């Protein structure tokens, strides 16, 4: 299992380093298409450019869904002084991007570096550096280009609507922590790639038909709303486990969500996952996420008649500089392996 956990971590790092804010995910989906082809599968794009890959098996169709879109921003306007006002993609306070390096991606493929700064960034000049409320008027993008006017910026080819990605600052520590932006949900996407590799390597066989779905609009609410194969009976969102307050998930556990903002998850499917976690003595937690909506809930809202569940590795400081641990990734992988083949002899 260590081999596959390490492979998952490698994939997580690779994915985190591919900029993919919702709406600008083509580099991430191209990466997925290539890796699944290399593993011997036949990945497909849905019309809205999610990636669907059937791993094999027969019978009731199970979809395991992770999302590869992330938080990000867009150019809202170019200011007279050559600085940029942004608009957010996804939900986060500006505090979480202050002082972060960014890349502006123009629609014709150019990239420009810059930084998100407070409009009063220097403590030797301004008295309100600590107290100023952070929002899209007080945090601005300063490009690392010699520009001082709107015209200068326009000359670079930057326009309203260009995408902005944040430096993920991905780091894997010797002690097994994975720190990065966008572990939501690239931690899960990476471990699903590893699950596919286990199938490709014939380490596990499938007791039912299993497909992976990598959606691209989760952070804006409609990732899982389309492109679900008609024969799907069950769908599990594999997405970050929330950590904090009275929740018992941490970075080492696989979190099984029993209820979130969208209500309770399917009773029987969730029970099956809990029973496996208990039987296998996996380090796991059952939790209620108070401020969370998942992709599979988007699928249900779109009218699909399926059973739904949500599991994933615990991710600390979600939608900020996030942290999880290899053991959380491994516990999630183990739960999925056992779920897709209860009789498998794989050494866990
Ligand atoms: Zn997510």
């Amino acid at each position: 299992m260590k081999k596959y956990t390490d492979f998952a971590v490698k994939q997580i790092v690779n994915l985190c380093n591919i900029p993919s804010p919702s709406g600008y995910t083509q580099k991430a989906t191209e990466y997925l298409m290539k890796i699944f082809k290399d593993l011997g599968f036949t990945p497909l794009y849905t019309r809205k450019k999610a990636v669907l890959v059937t791993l094999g098996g027969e019978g009731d169709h199970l979809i395991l869904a992770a999302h590869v879109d992330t938080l990000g921003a867009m150019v809202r306007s170019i200011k007279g002084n050559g600085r940029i006002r942004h608009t957010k993609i996804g939900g986060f306070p500006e505090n979480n991007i202050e002082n972060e390096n960014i890349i502006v991606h123009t629609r014709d493929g150019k990239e420009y570096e810059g930084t998100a700064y407070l409009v009063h960034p220097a403590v030797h000049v301004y008295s309100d550096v600590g107290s100023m409320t952070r929002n899209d008027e007080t945090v601005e993008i300063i490009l690392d280009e010699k520009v001082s006017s709107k015209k200068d910026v326009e000359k670079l080819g930057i326009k309203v609507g260009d995408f902005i990605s944040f430096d993920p600052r991905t780091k894997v520590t010797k002690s097994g922590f994975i720190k990065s932006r966008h572990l939501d949900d690239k931690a899960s996407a990476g471990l699903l790639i590893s699950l596919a590799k286990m199938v490709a390597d014939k380490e596990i066989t499938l007791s039912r038909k299993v497909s992976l779905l990598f959606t691209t609009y989760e952070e804006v609410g409609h990732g899982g709303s389309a492109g679900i194969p008609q024969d799907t009976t069950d769908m599990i969102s594999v997405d970050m486990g929330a950590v904090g307050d009275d929740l018992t998930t941490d970075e080492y556990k696989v979190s099984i969500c029993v209820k979130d903002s969208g209500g309770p998850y399917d009773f029987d499917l969730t029970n099956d996952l809990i029973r496996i976690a208990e039987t296998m003595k996996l380090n796991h937690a059952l939790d209620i996420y108070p401020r969370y909506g998942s992709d599979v809930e988007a699928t249900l809202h779109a009218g699909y008649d399926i059973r739904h569940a949500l599991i994933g590795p615990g991710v600390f400081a979600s939608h900020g500089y996030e942290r999880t641990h290899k053991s959380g990734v491994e516990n999630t992988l183990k739960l999925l392996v056992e779920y897709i083949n209860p009789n498998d002899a794989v050494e866990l």
Side-chain angles (χ1 to χ4, degrees):
M1 197 69 192
K2 187 182 174 302
K3 175 182 158 191
Y4 291 99
T5 303
D6 289 345
F7 183 75
V9 172
K10 196 175 146 212
Q11 294 305 323
I12 292 165
V13 170
N14 289 351
L15 284 169
C16 284
N17 282 301
I18 302 173
S20 59
S22 312
Y24 186 76
T25 51
Q26 52 274 36
K27 286 178 184 154
T29 53
E30 279 164 18
Y31 177 83
L32 293 172
M33 292 299 279
K34 176 166 188 327
I35 199 148
F36 286 112
K37 281 179 191 162
D38 289 349
L39 287 171
F41 298 105
T42 311
L44 304 168
Y45 280 122
T46 68
R47 184 72 187 154
K48 64 191 265 190
K49 286 287 175 84
V51 172
L52 178 70
V53 52
T54 297
L55 300 184
E58 283 176 11
D60 291 347
H61 196 172
L62 167 71
I63 304 279
L64 303 174
H67 64 92
V68 290
D69 62 309
T70 71
L71 305 177
M74 231 185 204
V75 175
R76 166 175 163 155
S77 57
I78 302 164
K79 301 182 189 182
N81 60 4
R83 296 176 182 182
I84 288 173
R85 184 169 177 187
H86 69 279
T87 179
K88 287 186 276 193
I89 296 173
F92 59 93
E94 265 74 6
N95 306 54
N96 285 3
I97 59 163
E98 185 183 346
N99 296 330
E100 189 58 276
N101 289 318
I102 63 94
I103 297 173
V104 175
H105 307 264
T106 70
R107 286 180 186 263
D108 56 3
K110 290 197 211 84
E111 293 186 351
Y112 294 101
E113 292 184 60
T115 311
Y117 281 119
L118 191 68
V119 290
H120 290 179
V123 292
H124 299 93
V125 181
Y126 302 102
S127 61
D128 55 356
V129 178
S131 59
M132 186 178 259
T133 302
R134 272 66 172 165
N135 58 41
D136 68 354
E137 288 176 297
T138 60
V139 173
E140 64 184 358
I141 306 291
I142 299 187
L143 294 168
D144 297 326
E145 298 289 333
K146 288 185 174 172
V147 289
S148 54
S149 69
K150 186 176 179 180
K151 220 173 170 188
D152 290 343
V153 175
E154 285 171 345
K155 261 191 235 159
L156 297 174
I158 292 175
K159 294 188 176 74
V160 168
D162 286 347
F163 283 89
I164 298 170
S165 64
F166 310 135
D167 188 341
R169 284 186 287 128
T170 308
K171 190 176 168 79
V172 181
T173 69
K174 277 187 192 150
S175 51
F177 288 96
I178 308 162
K179 299 193 292 181
S180 182
R181 288 184 184 277
H182 314 320
L183 291 174
D184 169 16
D185 185 26
K186 289 179 170 176
S188 305
L191 73 88
L192 289 185
I193 297 171
S194 192
L195 186 74
K197 182 166 168 56
M198 291 176 85
V199 174
D201 291 350
K202 302 199 166 36
E203 290 284 342
I204 46 174
T205 49
L206 303 170
S207 60
R208 60 189 298 184
K209 186 174 176 187
V210 179
S211 297
L212 307 181
L213 179 68
F214 297 87
T215 68
T216 49
Y217 286 97
E218 192 275 348
E219 293 293 357
V220 292
H222 62 84
S225 66
I228 313 299
Q230 283 305 323
D231 65 344
T232 303
T233 56
D234 298 332
M235 182 159 151
I236 300 175
S237 268
V238 188
D239 205 339
M240 51 145 282
V243 174
D245 198 10
D246 58 345
L247 280 64
T248 54
T249 295
D250 59 31
E251 295 100 313
Y252 317 109
K253 291 176 182 158
V254 52
S255 184
I256 301 172
C257 182
V258 287
K259 174 182 178 287
D260 64 15
S261 310
Y265 282 84
D266 181 83
F267 187 74
D268 295 319
L269 181 50
T270 303
N271 284 357
D272 286 346
L273 293 164
I274 295 169
R275 184 183 46 73
I276 291 168
E278 285 174 350
T279 309
M280 294 181 67
K281 297 192 168 52
L282 295 179
N283 190 5
H284 71 285
L286 309 186
D287 264 326
I288 290 163
Y289 305 165
R291 296 163 57 80
Y292 196 110
S294 71
D295 236 359
V296 68
E297 287 165 341
T299 309
L300 289 173
H301 283 295
Y304 288 92
D305 182 19
I306 54 164
R307 301 193 306 169
H308 71 312
L310 169 61
I311 65 164
V315 170
F316 183 76
S318 51
H319 284 195
Y321 186 50
E322 299 168 341
R323 190 177 88 148
T324 189
H325 190 271
K326 276 182 187 181
S327 53
V329 171
E330 183 163 301
N331 283 313
T332 307
L333 201 47
K334 282 179 175 174
L335 178 55
L336 287 171
V337 167
E338 187 64 17
Y339 184 70
I340 61 178
N341 193 342
N343 306 312
D344 210 284
V346 69
E347 196 48 50
L348 294 170

